[in-house]
């Protein structure tokens, strides 16, 4: 830490996570804009995608999970029914290629079920 390596590491990781977030946002806009509204984020490793149509978020989440994509329903984090349905979407642990393949699976699943 005294030699500045930690600060260098933090800057490098911020750039990596920003690249991953932008990949998620841009690919979602390209392939999922009919179904999801991705929320902007300036920090963290997750963001929220609100469903644009009244849909069973839990059912969609389970279908995605069976296909290897984790998109946890927002209702999982709430005690009461929430106004907007959607998912928490993590991007910190996956590279842009993995994000793209997951977005394509999501688009196929949404088109099948919604």
């Amino acid at each position: 830490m005294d030699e500045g390596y930690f600060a260098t590491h933090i800057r490098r990781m911020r750039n990596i996570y920003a690249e991953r977030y932008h990949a998620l946002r841009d690919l979602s806009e390209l392939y999922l804009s009919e179904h999801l509204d991705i929320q902007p984020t300036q920090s963290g490793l997750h963001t929220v995608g609100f469903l644009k149509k009244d849909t069973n978020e839990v059912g969609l989440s389970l279908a995605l999970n069976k296909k290897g994509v984790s998109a946890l329903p927002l209702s999982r984090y709430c005690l009461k029914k929430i106004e907007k349905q959607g998912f928490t979407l993590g991007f910190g642990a996956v590279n842009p290629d993995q994000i793209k393949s997951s977005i394509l699976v999501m688009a196929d699943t949404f088109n099948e079920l919604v």
Side-chain angles (χ1 to χ4, degrees):
M1 279 206 201
D2 292 336
E3 296 169 358
Y5 296 121
F6 185 66
T8 301
H9 170 74
I10 295 297
R11 277 191 303 277
R12 185 172 64 86
M13 296 312 294
R14 280 187 184 153
N15 290 333
I16 288 171
Y17 296 142
E19 175 189 25
R20 293 174 180 183
Y21 166 71
H22 289 109
L24 173 66
R25 183 196 64 197
D26 295 345
L27 291 164
S28 293
E29 180 65 31
L30 186 62
Y31 295 105
L32 293 171
S33 62
E34 179 183 339
H35 302 289
L36 273 183
D37 182 19
I38 301 297
Q39 299 303 293
T41 184
Q42 297 295 319
S43 62
L45 304 175
H46 293 78
T47 191
V48 172
F50 288 117
L51 287 163
K52 291 185 174 182
K53 299 176 183 173
D54 189 25
T55 309
N56 180 351
E57 69 176 4
V58 174
L60 273 171
S61 177
L62 291 171
L64 290 167
N65 192 46
K66 287 179 183 176
K67 295 179 180 184
V69 175
S70 178
L72 298 175
L74 292 177
S75 60
R76 178 177 181 173
Y77 301 98
C78 304
L79 295 174
K80 297 178 182 178
K81 185 175 177 172
I82 56 176
E83 185 176 318
K84 289 187 174 184
Q85 293 188 0
F87 304 103
T88 58
L89 304 169
F91 54 85
V94 289
N95 66 48
D97 290 335
Q98 293 168 314
I99 291 170
K100 183 175 184 176
S101 63
S102 295
I103 294 292
L104 292 173
V105 169
M106 290 177 78
D108 287 343
T109 305
F110 282 27
N111 289 331
E112 288 171 15
L113 300 177
V114 177

